Amino acid sequence: MKKSFSLYGAGLLLLFLFVFGCAEAVHLGTTIGAGTGKISKEEKERLDRLAVQTERASRPMTAQEEHYLGRAVAASILGQYRLYREERLTRYLNEVGQSLALASDRPFTFGGYRFAILDSEEVNALSCPGGTILLTRGMLRRAQNEEELAAILAHEIGHVSNRDGLKAIQQARWMEVVTLLGSEAARKTGGAEMAKLVSLFEGSVQDVVKTLLVNGYSREQESNADRSALALLQRFGYDPNGLPDFLRKMGREQTGGGGKAGMFTTHPGMGERESEARSVIAGNRWVSGNHAERDRRFQQALQSIR
Amino acid sequence: MKSKILLVLLGLFLAASIAWAASYQVITQEAVIRKDKRFFAPLIVRVPYGELLEERERQGDWLRVSFKGAEGWLHISAVQEQKFSLSSLSGERAQETTKEEVALAGKGFTPEVEKAFRDKNANMRYDLVNQVQSQKINESRLQEFIRIGKLRESGGAP
């Protein structure tokens, strides 16, 4: 009789889980179950623990965690490249980028969007999780006007918005973080658990840095970032042709054997991406607006770049 | 017996729908509640990370919320919806939840983890990261930049 009650209780719990789909319901279920004597206290505790663990195992990274991860990724990249310090240019870059980000699908991140220049001839743009976006001097010099610069930034904002950097973290590693945090041991702040957490953090940082600097994002992630960029440029009043125009230039350099720099490893298939972008623009019948004033301030900000 | 259980289930359903009045938690370092649903609308109140806001109304990506007696609009990307809570139904559970939250608060990739990571990796240039992250353009300047460039000051993505 007791066993059948127990089964009945378990069935009821499963139903609760199905209906509410969260640990709260299981707990309520177990409370009722235990209260009416249908399940034992130990069983109740075990089921509660299990429900909490299951819930945690699937939790995504929080915006705050993304921020601290992104800071470490940026700190690592800035340990490998020099920062190009030209105040006026950096301010201009941030004006373009921060106003553009407001019109994006994700206007707010934990710490906000920030833009900086790496002192390198390579042609690359790197988006750290949380919104720190780094452009090489080589990349910046290839942009001919504010529309093209905005296109590069909009593409990188797209990666941040789509959380592409976070997808670079090995799933097993993140599962370990979640399991560690959910464990009884981690609740008492112990040195060993902290050390384990730091090493998981370190591994996650390496996963992201490796994707940004070596492996590159997938073709699909690039394509999605292009699409968000086009929509963002159009919405904000920029000529979206800045994107395919810039991709065309990159494609020419690529086939000309111009470089082995990051942009070419992290952004493959320029020709394909260019025609994809042109067909999106044509399909939407997007037209460009006035850029005289934008051209002027672009020239002024970039005139002294090496 | 069966009908009793059905009754309990029905009760839970009702309770859940009552408790579903959405509340939102701030997930940015600081969120700004504004007078209107525009990015540069006048500021009503600044709300720090982690605070809870009650939803009054939603229009597209903008929420009208209340916080400590003040009311206004903020963009949905600055907050995260809290799943419904049945805590009010079960005092015991409410206490447990609080204990749990306290125990887990500040866990994960936190400033403490960052500090330990920095101590371990001297080659990380956090000094430069701080410098980069201090480059916030103030609102009036951004508005001016948008106006001069004949760009659109929008209320965000449609």
Side-chain angles (χ1 to χ4, degrees):
Chain A
M1 190 61 191
K2 194 159 190 241
K3 195 175 174 191
S4 77
F5 262 139
S6 197
L7 274 173
Y8 204 29
L12 192 61
L13 283 180
L14 276 175
L15 190 60
F16 278 163
L17 191 61
F18 176 70
V19 171
F20 295 110
C22 78
E24 287 276 349
V26 172
H27 177 89
L28 252 176
T30 54
T31 304
I32 292 165
T36 52
K38 283 187 189 116
I39 54 171
S40 70
K41 196 166 176 276
E42 293 76 42
E43 216 173 335
K44 166 185 148 45
E45 279 171 9
R46 195 179 59 77
L47 282 167
D48 278 348
R49 244 194 333 269
L50 190 70
V52 168
Q53 277 168 13
T54 315
E55 188 184 52
R56 293 262 158 69
S58 58
R59 94 160 162 91
M61 190 178 286
T62 66
Q64 191 187 27
E65 287 172 324
E66 182 187 10
H67 171 77
Y68 286 106
L69 179 77
R71 275 172 60 81
V73 169
S76 169
I77 293 170
L78 289 166
Q80 299 174 50
Y81 288 89
R82 277 212 317 256
L83 191 64
Y84 184 70
R85 299 155 194 264
E86 210 222 283
E87 212 182 306
R88 191 170 64 167
L89 181 55
T90 305
R91 198 186 327 120
Y92 171 71
L93 186 67
N94 275 282
E95 284 167 347
V96 178
Q98 288 180 30
S99 57
L100 192 55
L102 281 182
S104 76
D105 295 328
R106 193 185 175 195
F108 297 110
T109 63
F110 183 86
Y113 291 84
R114 299 291 185 272
F115 302 81
I117 307 155
L118 300 176
D119 192 359
S120 163
E121 285 294 334
E122 286 173 27
V123 183
N124 211 350
L126 307 163
S127 49
C128 307
T132 296
I133 292 170
L134 305 167
L135 251 70
T136 59
R137 196 165 41 76
M139 174 73 119
L140 208 47
R141 272 184 28 215
R142 276 165 181 77
Q144 238 159 23
N145 48 41
E146 194 174 296
E147 321 292 309
E148 289 188 4
L149 173 62
I152 301 165
L153 300 184
H155 175 92
E156 298 306 321
I157 290 169
H159 282 309
V160 173
S161 188
N162 297 338
R163 294 175 173 81
D164 286 336
L166 303 186
K167 290 169 199 153
I169 300 169
Q170 287 175 30
Q171 228 171 350
R173 204 190 302 282
W174 180 244
M175 281 296 284
E176 234 183 297
V177 173
V178 173
T179 313
L180 180 70
L181 296 177
S183 72
E184 291 288 339
R187 281 173 215 183
K188 306 164 192 109
T189 342
E193 284 74 26
M194 187 60 174
K196 178 80 191 138
L197 192 57
V198 171
S199 100
L200 288 167
F201 181 70
E202 211 162 9
S204 307
V205 174
Q206 282 159 6
D207 285 346
V208 180
V209 171
K210 197 172 157 201
T211 293
L212 291 180
L213 294 180
V214 186
N215 299 341
Y217 289 127
S218 71
R219 182 69 185 80
E220 195 193 350
Q221 286 172 320
E222 294 299 354
S223 179
N224 288 338
D226 280 348
R227 279 168 188 276
S228 351
L230 289 172
L232 171 53
L233 293 168
Q234 165 67 20
R235 190 154 65 217
F236 196 46
Y238 278 120
D239 178 357
N241 283 296
L243 183 66
D245 288 352
F246 191 76
L247 291 170
R248 184 187 177 80
K249 217 174 333 186
M250 293 294 96
R252 281 213 210 107
E253 284 201 31
Q254 195 177 14
T255 46
K260 47 190 183 301
M263 179 72 184
F264 304 123
T265 46
T266 61
H267 296 83
M270 296 295 160
E272 229 177 283
R273 284 173 55 193
E274 185 205 336
S275 38
E276 222 175 81
R278 298 235 188 257
S279 71
V280 170
I281 294 167
N284 285 289
R285 295 161 191 264
W286 282 336
V287 287
S288 55
N290 175 342
H291 14 133
E293 186 52 39
R294 306 202 285 260
D295 286 348
R296 195 196 56 75
R297 67 187 180 192
F298 177 88
Q299 295 302 340
Q300 206 173 31
L302 270 93
Q303 62 188 358
S304 60
I305 191 169
R306 274 188 282 118
Chain B
M1 187 66 192
K2 249 187 200 167
S3 59
K4 248 189 203 166
I5 288 165
L6 279 174
L7 212 64
V8 170
L9 271 178
L10 186 68
L12 279 170
F13 249 133
L14 287 174
S17 45
I18 292 165
W20 211 309
S23 71
Y24 289 82
Q25 189 170 29
V26 174
I27 57 165
T28 55
Q29 231 150 19
E30 183 186 81
V32 178
I33 296 181
R34 297 179 187 275
K35 209 175 159 189
D36 203 356
K37 42 185 192 302
R38 284 181 295 114
F39 290 117
F40 301 115
L43 178 151
I44 288 185
V45 62
R46 294 179 192 278
V47 189
Y49 173 78
E51 290 286 352
L52 287 177
L53 310 169
E54 287 303 318
E55 177 183 345
R56 292 279 174 269
E57 177 185 355
R58 177 168 178 171
Q59 281 185 29
D61 280 342
W62 291 85
L63 289 169
R64 192 162 63 82
V65 293
S66 68
F67 175 70
K68 291 187 176 164
E71 261 191 38
W73 295 89
L74 98 171
H75 192 269
I76 193 98
S77 68
V79 292
Q80 185 173 41
E81 187 173 359
Q82 294 300 98
K83 293 298 169 209
F84 70 92
S85 164
L86 293 169
S87 305
S88 53
L89 283 180
S90 153
E92 181 204 356
R93 177 58 175 163
Q95 267 177 16
E96 274 181 43
T97 307
T98 317
K99 260 196 296 186
E100 184 92 21
E101 276 162 7
V102 168
L104 283 166
K107 297 284 178 186
F109 295 166
T110 57
E112 294 75 46
V113 172
E114 179 180 290
K115 189 181 177 308
F117 172 77
R118 280 173 85 156
D119 292 346
K120 223 174 127 187
N121 298 278
N123 52 338
M124 295 286 148
R125 295 300 304 270
Y126 273 97
D127 56 328
L128 298 179
V129 175
N130 289 337
Q131 198 183 316
V132 168
Q133 292 190 337
S134 70
Q135 289 278 344
K136 185 174 163 59
I137 308 292
N138 74 45
E139 279 181 19
S140 56
R141 178 65 203 130
L142 274 187
Q143 253 182 308
E144 184 73 353
F145 185 83
I146 292 169
R147 191 186 60 75
I148 292 174
K150 296 199 163 58
L151 296 163
R152 281 182 213 118
E153 184 188 311
S154 69

